[in-house]
Amino acid sequence: MPSAPSPSAWLRGSRRPSWLSDPKVLRTEVLGGLVVALALIPEAISFSVIAGVDPAVGLFASFTMAVTIALVGGRPAMISAATGAVALVIAPLNREHGFGYLVAAVILAGVFQIVLGALGVAKLMRFVPRSVMVGFVNSLAILIFMAQVPEMTDVPWPVYLLIAAGLAMMVFFPKLTTVVPAPLVSIVILTVITVAAGIAVPTVGDKGDLPSSLPVPGLPDVPFTLDTLTTVAPFAFAMALVGLMESLMTAKLVDDITDTRSSKTRESVGQGVANIVTGFFGGMGGCAMIGQTMINVRVSGARTRLSTFLAGAFLMVLCIVFGPVVSDIPMAALVAVMVMVSVATFDWHSIAPRTLRRMPLGETVVMLVTVVCVVATHNLAIGVVVGSIAAMVVFARRVARLAEVTAVTDPDGAAVVYRVTGELFFASSNELVGQFSYGTDPDRVVIDLSAAHIWDASSVAALDAVGTKYAQRGKTVEIVGLNEPSARMHKTLSGKLVGG
């Protein structure tokens, strides 16, 4: 039997980052991080406006979130930064109580996320069905595209030419070479063209001033009292839930794209740590940023933590050192990148006529419900919850129809055997009572459950009701064929579900 590798060999081997030994991987990670950093700047500024804070607050949050999650997160290559969902949750708190309370909420949300992660909330992801996941992806693509629409309305006509040129470069440049990410090439070329030709179009600088120095750590400017806690806690808990749901869904999506597995528990705790760090540096908090993650993973091909770390690091370098240059980047270049991301993200196979003909109607309805809820609320978390509930209802209805009752009477007419097949739970057992002929059956009734399974108290109560109806007519009921779990549940609950 071969001996286990020594700890030193293990550290040298499996834990050695691939980018240290493969220059091609290193180049991909570095360039991927740079493209994401460029795309983060206008997004972070826009989300700062939603939250009602200075643009620097969103940029600081994106920097600290990305750098921290790269070290402590559970999903390599996933980008965490300031997001619109978090901004929407905490905006009322900032508006009504001030920036200090917002920072306190971010820190407390991080604590909640660590606790929820330690309690195993990530395991709930296995209850999210595929139809909800497809709806999540499709609605994400729609939201990414919708977010670009304001940048394409009431703008000078050269903007449309620049967007078209950017899309063309991202489609055709990879046919020439993949050494440099096409989005980065598109951004650089369009920036050079607009600056050199003096084309007057909206730029990144029009979104707000970029920070000129690094963030400084500090405590939130709030009174540390019970009143402060009761004011902040509801917003913090809502932020924690929304952030975790978006992050875990994004992690699952990246798992599927890369055919790798990640630790969802570590990701949950890591999100909490990142928000705590962000709060102490005066950031607005955040979670996984799905659009930028798709740029990093699907468009740039990044796969390691280095790209996430560099996205945050490059963000600050671009703002502080190259602020004037970054401010000249035309928004049209970044819009083209995000439009390409939305097209690549959408699951076109899910709406193909052939797929729709083969897919069960319930699955398609669940997918559409998820998409409609997300697009209507602009909240991915609400869509996932509503979609999952819809999927449970569809599943319950489908399984309930599989429960059947058939009767066979003995030749001598002394007894009747009812054979029950299928899954007995609240949805199917409600109709069980009406499947028996209480008045015309013989004095002895046998209920054969060898092809059925009892899942809940509703089923036991239904069987008790059947027995009671026969007893009122002086007839006896015998239940046979219970498997071990069903027999245990029936023995524990039978006769004890109705008060005397």
Side-chain angles (χ1 to χ4, degrees):
M1 183 175 179
S3 59
S6 65
S8 60
W10 183 67
L11 287 171
R12 290 194 305 270
S14 62
R15 295 196 62 180
R16 181 181 175 85
S18 57
W19 49 267
L20 281 177
S21 56
D22 190 337
K24 184 177 179 181
V25 173
L26 177 61
R27 181 179 64 245
T28 299
E29 300 299 310
V30 172
L31 294 177
L34 179 57
V35 174
V36 171
L38 290 169
L40 276 174
I41 294 174
E43 294 279 310
I45 295 174
S46 298
F47 297 146
S48 298
V49 174
I50 293 174
V53 298
D54 188 80
V57 175
L59 292 165
F60 288 156
S62 296
F63 162 62
T64 53
M65 286 292 297
V67 169
T68 306
I69 207 66
L71 302 176
V72 301
R75 174 63 259 178
M78 191 168 79
I79 305 297
S80 289
T83 60
V86 169
L88 288 171
V89 171
I90 60 177
L93 179 64
N94 179 64
R95 184 170 56 249
E96 296 171 13
H97 299 279
F99 181 67
Y101 282 81
L102 180 150
V103 173
V106 171
I107 296 173
L108 184 57
V111 174
F112 283 146
Q113 288 177 329
I114 292 175
V115 173
L116 290 171
L119 292 176
V121 70
K123 294 179 181 178
L124 296 177
M125 286 303 299
R126 61 184 175 181
F127 295 106
V128 178
R130 180 185 178 279
S131 53
V132 174
M133 191 67 189
V134 172
F136 170 81
V137 171
N138 289 345
S139 57
L140 160 65
I142 294 172
L143 287 183
I144 292 175
F145 182 82
M146 289 175 62
Q148 312 315 310
V149 172
E151 304 297 337
M152 296 186 283
T153 55
D154 297 324
V155 293
W157 65 265
V159 169
Y160 303 108
L161 295 179
L162 292 173
I163 293 174
L167 291 172
M169 279 187 276
M170 283 183 283
V171 170
F172 295 109
F173 186 80
K175 299 181 185 299
L176 300 176
T177 179
T178 57
V179 172
V180 181
L184 180 59
V185 174
S186 174
I187 292 171
V188 171
I189 291 178
L190 293 182
T191 302
V192 171
I193 290 175
T194 55
V195 173
I199 302 174
V201 292
T203 64
V204 170
D206 296 332
K207 290 291 183 180
D209 296 331
L210 303 182
S212 58
S213 62
L214 290 171
V216 178
L219 294 175
D221 184 17
V222 295
F224 292 89
T225 63
L226 183 59
D227 287 340
T228 300
L229 179 61
T230 56
T231 300
V232 166
F235 294 93
F237 191 66
M239 174 184 165
L241 291 179
V242 169
L244 280 184
M245 186 167 294
E246 291 209 22
S247 299
L248 294 176
M249 290 292 288
T250 305
K252 189 175 186 298
L253 179 60
V254 177
D255 288 353
D256 294 339
I257 293 173
T258 60
D259 292 325
T260 58
R261 297 182 63 183
S262 60
S263 172
K264 305 303 184 295
T265 297
R266 177 176 174 180
E267 183 61 40
S268 301
V269 174
Q271 289 290 330
V273 173
N275 273 306
I276 291 174
V277 172
T278 297
F280 281 120
F281 276 93
M284 58 181 278
C287 61
M289 206 169 190
I290 309 170
Q292 273 63 24
T293 297
M294 290 298 100
I295 293 176
N296 196 43
V297 175
R298 176 162 277 173
V299 179
S300 299
R303 293 292 184 268
T304 75
R305 298 176 184 275
L306 180 63
S307 59
T308 305
F309 180 87
L310 290 178
F314 282 149
L315 176 63
M316 280 293 98
V317 172
L318 290 170
C319 291
I320 296 173
V321 180
F322 300 102
V325 176
V326 173
S327 295
D328 288 333
I329 295 176
M331 285 301 300
L334 300 177
V335 168
V337 172
M338 298 309 294
V339 169
M340 182 61 71
V341 169
S342 69
V343 172
T345 301
F346 196 91
D347 186 351
W348 297 101
H349 176 72
S350 67
I351 61 171
R354 179 181 299 179
T355 303
L356 295 176
R357 285 195 299 267
R358 295 178 178 179
M359 188 69 64
L361 179 60
E363 302 281 327
T364 302
V365 169
V366 169
M367 186 265 285
L368 292 175
V369 166
T370 304
V371 171
V372 170
C373 287
V374 172
V375 173
T377 64
H378 284 232
N379 191 317
L380 290 162
I382 292 177
V384 171
V385 171
V386 174
S388 297
I389 294 173
M392 293 176 188
V393 173
V394 171
F395 173 77
R397 285 176 56 84
R398 185 180 301 163
V399 175
R401 293 172 182 170
L402 299 178
E404 296 181 353
V405 179
T406 56
V408 178
T409 305
D410 282 351
D412 58 4
V416 61
V417 178
Y418 282 95
R419 180 174 174 81
V420 182
T421 60
E423 310 301 320
L424 298 182
F425 64 112
F426 61 90
S428 59
S429 59
N430 286 336
E431 298 182 1
L432 186 66
V433 180
Q435 302 296 312
F436 297 84
S437 303
Y438 303 100
T440 58
D441 281 341
D443 291 341
R444 181 170 177 265
V445 178
V446 178
I447 301 177
D448 181 6
L449 295 176
S450 57
H453 187 95
I454 296 177
W455 287 103
D456 59 6
S458 297
S459 303
V460 177
L463 291 172
D464 284 354
V466 171
T468 300
K469 286 181 177 295
Y470 277 115
Q472 290 172 348
R473 293 167 173 80
K475 301 175 183 181
T476 60
V477 174
E478 180 184 2
I479 296 176
V480 300
L482 288 169
N483 57 36
E484 185 177 345
S486 298
R488 187 164 53 247
M489 180 174 289
H490 187 265
K491 181 179 179 180
T492 301
L493 299 178
S494 182
K496 302 178 179 63
L497 295 174
V498 179

